[in-house]
Amino acid sequence: MTRRAGLGLVEVLVATVLLVVLLLPVVGVVHSTTATTTLQDFRLLAHGRASALLEGLLVLDHERLRGAQTPDDRGVDARTHPLTQPLLATSARIAGPRLDLFETLRTQLAFYQESVSIRPVGASGDDGLLRVQVEVRWRTPVDRAAAMHTLVVATLVAQPDLTEVR
Amino acid sequence: MTERMLAMSIQLRPGREALAAGGRQGLGLLPIVVFVAVIIAVLAFQHAQFSIQMTVDLRAVERDQACTRLARAAVENGLYVLQRQALDRTSPLAGLLLKRPLPVGVQTLFIASTDLTAFEELRRAQPGLTLSNDRIAVAVRIHQFDGPAGTERWYERHGTVTLSAELRSTEGGAAGSGRFELGRRSTLSVPFRSLLLATPRPFDRITLGLVNPRGLIDSPVLDLIRPGVRDANWVLDRLVFELRERERIRNGDLDDLIASLRDRAEAWPPDRPGCEAQIAQITSLKEYLELPIPVEGLKASWPTDDTMPVVHHFGWDALLYSMDPEVDLVGVNLPRTLKRDTVDLPTIRADYRRWEGRLGVSVRATQRAVAAIKKYFDALNKILDDFRRFQNGLTERAGNEYRAFEPSLKRALSLEGWLSVTPAQPWPPAFAGLAGLMTLGGSPRGSPKVTRRVGGGDELSKLVAGPRAHHGIVLVESGQPVTLTGTVKGAVVVVCPGALRIENVTSPGQLTVVCFGPLTVKGSVEASLLACGQVELVDPRIHGALLLTNEAFRGARPVEEVLAGTVKPLERFRTGPDPVPRQLKIIFSPTPVRSEVVRL
């Protein structure tokens, strides 16, 4: 009978330690990039939500926007604003029939807080020119920062026919 | 046992003895460890690269969207600035749009970044976006066309303004950085039209205008003067005839009668006292019958030369107007004064007929006859005065002079004239409905002139008499009567095809009302009123102007009750002495014809 030689326990332990030492920075990188990717995912989703709300407001005519001005630049919760409330409800209805997607969205969207601000920025406070702004704030599960992430999108809307002036 | 099993289980690489005994050669532990580590590292690298790429892409998307939004915002801000400039007649833009003659080609002007304050504020609020071009200017290209040539509204131009703004962003702000540079151009094209928001010339200069008011002149009241007669010209003829008769009686018949009475007194002395009494009465009558005007002026015919007689016929079609600083509508209410002065005319005439032949018969008969003749000729004098006052109170343009006014009148008093651009020469009646579609070569948005449509009185009041000033032509589309009251701050023309009631309206701006249905005016009203239908003037005090057509006198309402109240002109309602009217406003279409953002 031939006796076959193998690795000793010490060798295996050394190899394992070596492997762990080599992989530690790799794991760190993976952890970091995963967190970054998750943050970007949330930011991307925030972008989509902000754009959807802003574009939803921009299809309305100036008169409706003017009639739904917010009291200050901080804006109001989008869920309570008369113009953005139906937009959010429509999004929910679209997501509704697909329960899994809806659940996913609901889980994800619970992280977001949107506010909308519509303010006159014309000459001397004239509301012939409005600044429409949507602000999305969120916190992620991987987030350890105390402050919430913020994304602000804004644009200007001029009264299309300025035959009405103060 | 345990050691043996462990040794057997990790026999990854046979020892030399095993190899010497014919065993297979395996890998060493180190290469395997390194191999596994490399694979995991590669996967981790890929993961990191994906994450980095995602970050870069997201950043690019954010820049892209921010740049697009800013480009749109710049154009919106530019449109706002442009529209405000257009409302100011002294602005360079208004000067360019109203320049005479029409400039050739496309004019371009720029709105500087210093005027785009809201945009600059928005731009500063985008710290992550660095723009290569520090100063964003909005370019405005103006393509304009002249109004309907050959009409008094040549100044009503139309065209398109195209606003564009370019934004370039470079990662880190350095220009020419290849793929990291992005550019967006936002373009917005908006049609515009310059509209006169006042009564068109020359009618803006009149206080009261009556367009061919045959119903006012040939009124049923004339029936009191002569039963069955409705023709004022006939009445005037008759009136002049009777007044000339008065001259004949005065200079002929009465003298003969006086001579006869003197003869009788001399022939029969007992009659002397009676004859002398009669002579005295007849002499007083002769003095009384002195004509108030030279007999040469008593011509009722229409003048064929420049000499206007004291009374004259009414031309077939005529514009009667007054430019006085105040017009009492009762004073020019011919049927009303005629009715007042002729209500007893049949009795007076009968009395006259009964007693005129009894002059000189007896003292009592002469006394009654003198009284009846005086009363009758007093009545004729009053009728003459009524016509004279009416004709003197209003300037009359008839015949060729009226023909010269006619096209302008038709445009001012036609619904189509206010709703769309009308041609200088009207189309044949069969194509009348197409009038709004012609003379619009190159026009981008057709011909409508109406800037706003409202469905009822509440909407109208909210728009034109609300807290905001509205400028434009407002069409009232309502089947129900509409009431307008309150303060009109803007320059606005209200075009109402149906019934309209206007009551106690002040107009710091300029209100022009063009009504084609029944118009009721009550209280103090500051407005230029162009009534093409029936009117009910409830003793109003109109500050502005009033233009009525014959329709005003053809309703069920007695014609003598139509005109009431006063009209005083307002200088600020007039279009001014300049070639271009003061109330010409540049109105932008609420619907842009083109709005886009493109990559550069």
Side-chain angles (χ1 to χ4, degrees), chain B residues 332-377:
Chain B
V332 293
N333 190 341
L334 180 63
R336 182 181 173 130
T337 52
L338 282 179
K339 186 175 183 180
R340 182 193 63 198
D341 295 335
T342 58
V343 65
D344 297 329
L345 186 63
T347 314
I348 293 170
R349 184 188 286 122
D351 211 31
Y352 166 74
R353 295 270 162 79
R354 182 180 167 196
W355 289 101
E356 69 169 335
R358 305 198 64 181
L359 267 176
V361 172
S362 67
V363 174
R364 187 170 173 276
T366 301
Q367 193 176 7
R368 292 290 304 269
V370 165
I373 292 169
K374 281 183 177 178
K375 205 168 182 182
Y376 181 59
F377 281 107

Side-chain angles (χ1 to χ4, degrees), chain A residues 65-110:
Chain A
L65 291 175
R66 194 174 61 215
Q69 292 180 41
T70 52
D72 53 40
D73 290 338
R74 289 177 300 174
V76 297
D77 190 335
R79 290 172 297 184
T80 61
H81 192 271
L83 296 184
T84 49
Q85 194 179 34
L87 294 173
L88 293 172
T90 305
S91 303
R93 274 200 299 275
I94 291 170
R98 295 180 59 185
L99 191 58
D100 52 340
L101 177 61
F102 178 66
E103 285 298 320
T104 308
L105 280 173
R106 194 174 64 82
T107 310
Q108 286 187 334
L109 302 189

Side-chain angles (χ1 to χ4, degrees), chain B residues 353-404:
Chain B
R353 295 270 162 79
R354 182 180 167 196
W355 289 101
E356 69 169 335
R358 305 198 64 181
L359 267 176
V361 172
S362 67
V363 174
R364 187 170 173 276
T366 301
Q367 193 176 7
R368 292 290 304 269
V370 165
I373 292 169
K374 281 183 177 178
K375 205 168 182 182
Y376 181 59
F377 281 107
D378 276 347
L380 294 185
N381 271 343
K382 281 183 183 173
I383 297 171
L384 175 71
D385 281 345
D386 291 340
F387 277 104
R388 283 178 64 197
R389 213 168 23 247
F390 181 73
Q391 292 185 335
N392 291 339
L394 298 169
T395 305
E396 197 167 336
R397 301 290 176 197
N400 289 338
E401 288 181 321
Y402 177 76
R403 297 278 170 257

Side-chain angles (χ1 to χ4, degrees), chain A residues 105-120:
Chain A
L105 280 173
R106 194 174 64 82
T107 310
Q108 286 187 334
L109 302 189
F111 294 101
Y112 293 100
Q113 296 173 11
E114 290 112 344
S115 63
V116 60
S117 154
I118 303 173
R119 298 291 299 157

Side-chain angles (χ1 to χ4, degrees), chain A residues 11 21 24 26-27 37 41 53 55 63 73 82 98 108 145-146 160:
Chain A
E11 286 177 278
V21 169
L24 268 179
V26 174
V27 169
T37 305
D41 276 342
L53 281 178
E55 294 297 329
E63 195 173 347
D73 290 338
R98 295 180 59 185
Q108 286 187 334

Side-chain angles (χ1 to χ4, degrees), chain B residues 196-211:
Chain B
L196 176 68
L197 302 178
T199 308
R201 290 173 175 174
F203 311 113
D204 63 310
R205 284 156 169 78
I206 67 174
T207 309
L208 170 70
L210 303 172
V211 184

Side-chain angles (χ1 to χ4, degrees), chain B residues 449-496:
Chain B
K449 288 163 63 175
V450 171
T451 54
R452 194 67 73 93
R453 294 166 188 265
V454 294
D458 291 342
E459 204 179 339
L460 176 68
S461 295
K462 190 179 169 188
L463 180 67
V464 305
R468 308 167 70 87
H470 177 76
H471 303 302
I473 298 177
V474 179
L475 174 64
V476 181
E477 296 177 311
S478 171
Q480 301 297 320
V482 170
T483 300
L484 177 61
T485 184
T487 302
V488 177
K489 293 179 180 172
V492 60
V493 178
V494 175
V495 181
C496 185

Side-chain angles (χ1 to χ4, degrees), chain B residues 271-287:
Chain B
D271 279 353
R272 183 183 295 269
C275 288
E276 285 178 353
Q278 289 181 69
I279 289 169
Q281 286 172 8
I282 293 167
T283 305
S284 76
L285 176 64
K286 190 178 173 186
E287 289 168 1

